[in-house]
Amino acid sequence: MIIRNLVLSAVLAATATAFQPHTPLLSRPSASRNINRPTTKSSNLVMRDYPKPNVEDTDKYRFATEMSNSFKTTLKADASQKKKVAVIGGGLAGLSCAKYLSDAGHEPTIYEARDVLGGKVSAWQDEDGDWIETGLHIFFGAYPNVMNMFDELNIHDRLQWKIHQMIFAMQELPGEFTTFDFIPGIPAPFNFGLAILMNQKMLTFPEKIQTAPPLIPMLIEGQSFIDAQDELSVTEFMRKYGMPERINEEVFIAMAKALDFIDPDRLSMTVVLTAMNRFLNESNGLQMAFLDGNQPDRLCKPMADHVEKNGGKVVLNAPLKEIVTNDDGSINHLLMRSGEKIVADEYVSAMPVDIVKRMVPKKWQNMPYFRQLDELEGIPVINLHMWFDRKLKAVDHLCFSRSPLLSVYADMSVTCKEYEDPDKAMLELVFAPCSPLAGGNINWIGKSDEEIIDATMGELARLFPTEIANDEKWPATSKQGPNGQAKLLKYSVVKVPRSVYAAIPGRNKYRPSQTTPIPQFTLAGCYTSQKFLGSMEGATLSGKLAAEVIANRAKGNADKPIKEIQQHVIDAASSYEAKEPVGVKGDGAIAFGGGYTVGKKEEELLRESDPAQYEQSQKELAGV
């Protein structure tokens, strides 16, 4: 009865507000410091930020806060327990680990191979001073550890919260959008259900009803049901439970590509259920925010400053060459490319899984713990920046493109203060799936920047049919009519050959614990075992968990247990032929697991070190 009354109240509230016009998007326009370009007519759409939602009133946020506080209380080291910790990698996992170790009274030093912090959230400036980002990163209310860390660092004001809705491009109605609108004051999970029910453009009412039953076990059984679905792809789960195929076409394809840059026939259903479980159980879990500027300055620097203020260090341009071990397999020192030997009390690898596999010392290679890493690999993705000579029809939000080539995109000239431009558009787009490794039909990683941009221009012509110009430089726009005027001024193609771990079915059981069988060696990274998968939240939590392992050990407590390893991995490990580690070849972002613009030098290195990136799909080979 209580639930029925709540639903009735929610429906009444929804019918009272659902069809009211949206609040006008108003804000102060700011001057652009981008390239000098001809002035054009300004758009009447400008930025508006919304108040920070209440993200603190959830059990997961309270747990995150309690865990953070433990580093300053129960896990706080006294002078005799203080450890010198070498953290390899300055992405979010490494920064988070060092931040919490410094809170616990330890002395962490981050060794970052590149000249910029952030890893997969890194960014750099081009010759015009425009920022190029490794990826389009969005912050969700359902990121408890990230939100708690923003509070600890006093940088919540750097998040630009957007209206609580999801925006989808309409495939069959080019140039039009539809939304899932979350009604203020309606608690979860009813706000999510109402958002779907009120949308009249994507699914029919019977299709919506058919969607619900397979999701009920998730709400009742929770994480145990979610974890059990890891052996099924999204498509297999749908067919098993009789969900209509159009749900896949209308919703799950967009979700899958946004969550892991992969199509639903390749993505583990656990990933989708994990995300939906957060959003269905937290009223503000799906509300999204953009960072108000570039990630190195607005996110990574406060974390690094906190570490240094507490006695730690951050060292850039410090690539690791080798983990040198003693005869018993314990770590003797880290050998850097410079020849420097780093000796510490504790060591943390916060490197991407594909780089870790290239660094595993010979004496560790027959250990089942490290052999299970063979089952994990990073997924390729491409991030695009495209500057246009005028404004496009935009939304001050993230948009799910529902395109066969594109995942999500945002007009950063509208959504982000630092990139704001009242006269011109700058789209940041995620191009996925971009490789056979991600289930794509074409290996776009191996294509030229011009081919990628031309294909994207074709998709943008569909999204903005009356705005994109017929530009002879881009053949894919050849069918555009005379009304289209917007022309591309410049672009940047950022290829990330090995991004977050590929969450294909059956991978969760191989994700390792932060605790390892090697004394004084701990793992961090979103690929390690934690409930938030491959995301900024997952990376942050993994670093925090790694710091907890070390801080707990420093207090003289027993190590946290190593996660159970699959029997077939144990059986095969002893017969593995151990070899000297391959190590990392070359320099730069791509060599160390990040993303960058790929020139001739980077392509040659990638072809040598990761030839799978240039393998053609079967359809390409067949000329389809």
Side-chain angles (χ1 to χ4, degrees), residues 151-207:
D151 183 61
E152 293 179 295
L153 298 174
N154 195 28
I155 58 172
H156 260 305
D157 61 346
R158 301 184 181 194
L159 288 177
Q160 294 182 247
W161 290 95
K162 304 303 178 182
I163 188 172
H164 197 177
Q165 63 181 193
M166 296 175 71
I167 302 176
F168 299 85
M170 295 293 291
Q171 293 185 82
E172 65 280 9
L173 297 172
E176 295 190 21
F177 301 88
T178 187
T179 61
F180 288 166
D181 297 297
F182 294 78
I183 306 301
I186 304 298
F190 306 110
N191 62 346
F192 194 97
L194 281 169
I196 295 174
L197 286 172
M198 289 189 303
N199 182 287
Q200 302 300 311
K201 293 185 177 181
M202 289 177 66
L203 296 173
T204 65
F205 185 74
E207 287 169 339

Side-chain angles (χ1 to χ4, degrees), residues 131-309:
W131 282 94
I132 309 298
E133 299 181 344
T134 302
L136 175 55
H137 296 287
I138 305 298
F139 296 82
F140 288 92
Y143 278 4
N145 291 281
V146 170
M147 293 298 111
N148 174 243
M149 185 180 66
F150 268 71
D151 183 61
E152 293 179 295
L153 298 174
N154 195 28
I155 58 172
H156 260 305
D157 61 346
R158 301 184 181 194
L159 288 177
Q160 294 182 247
W161 290 95
K162 304 303 178 182
I163 188 172
H164 197 177
Q165 63 181 193
M166 296 175 71
I167 302 176
F168 299 85
M170 295 293 291
Q171 293 185 82
E172 65 280 9
L173 297 172
E176 295 190 21
F177 301 88
T178 187
T179 61
F180 288 166
D181 297 297
F182 294 78
I183 306 301
I186 304 298
F190 306 110
N191 62 346
F192 194 97
L194 281 169
I196 295 174
L197 286 172
M198 289 189 303
N199 182 287
Q200 302 300 311
K201 293 185 177 181
M202 289 177 66
L203 296 173
T204 65
F205 185 74
E207 287 169 339
K208 294 172 185 176
I209 297 301
Q210 285 179 277
T211 304
L215 302 181
I216 291 174
M218 174 188 71
L219 295 172
I220 297 174
E221 300 176 36
Q223 197 63 43
S224 61
F225 176 81
I226 293 171
D227 291 342
Q229 310 313 308
D230 188 50
E231 301 300 323
L232 296 177
S233 71
V234 175
T235 305
E236 289 169 338
F237 179 90
M238 287 180 53
R239 290 171 181 165
K240 177 179 178 180
Y241 287 92
M243 298 174 78
E245 188 63 31
R246 255 177 40 87
I247 294 173
N248 188 46
E249 297 168 0
E250 295 291 325
V251 179
F252 283 154
I253 289 177
M255 285 189 67
K257 296 198 326 181
L259 289 168
D260 203 58
F261 318 129
I262 196 169
D263 278 337
D265 59 344
R266 294 265 296 168
L267 180 67
S268 162
M269 189 62 190
T270 289
V271 176
V272 171
L273 291 177
T274 296
M276 294 186 71
N277 191 42
R278 301 285 180 268
F279 302 150
L280 283 169
N281 284 291
E282 299 178 21
S283 297
N284 298 309
L286 195 49
Q287 191 157 359
M288 303 177 213
F290 287 73
L291 197 62
D292 66 359
N294 71 86
Q295 296 99 333
D297 290 342
R298 305 302 287 168
L299 174 58
C300 299
K301 189 175 187 300
M303 298 175 76
D305 288 347
H306 182 93
V307 170
E308 293 178 330
K309 180 182 176 182

Side-chain angles (χ1 to χ4, degrees), residues 87-99 110-114 116-123 134 137 149 295-296 299-301 303-304 307 314-316 348-352 524-526 535-536 538-544 592-594:
V87 180
I88 314 165
L92 283 184
L95 285 164
S96 171
C97 182
K99 186 265 183 205
I110 296 174
Y111 296 94
E112 167 56 44
R114 299 167 59 188
V116 62
L117 293 171
K120 291 179 175 62
V121 300
S122 62
T134 302
H137 296 287
M149 185 180 66
Q295 296 99 333
L299 174 58
C300 299
K301 189 175 187 300
M303 298 175 76
V307 170
V314 178
V315 183
L316 300 179
V348 178
S349 166
M351 300 180 287
C526 67
S535 63
M536 290 189 290
T540 301
L541 176 57
S542 77
K544 198 173 183 179
F592 286 93

Side-chain angles (χ1 to χ4, degrees), residues 364-376 506-512 563-576:
W364 302 357
Q365 291 177 18
N366 291 105
M367 296 182 179
Y369 178 92
F370 293 103
R371 288 274 54 85
Q372 67 185 334
L373 300 184
D374 294 339
E375 303 291 337
L376 303 173
R507 296 308 96 181
N508 257 355
K509 57 182 174 287
Y510 301 113
R511 296 170 66 203
K563 179 182 170 183
E564 180 182 2
I565 299 171
Q566 298 298 301
Q567 187 60 48
H568 76 91
V569 175
I570 296 173
D571 294 341
S574 60
S575 60
Y576 180 84

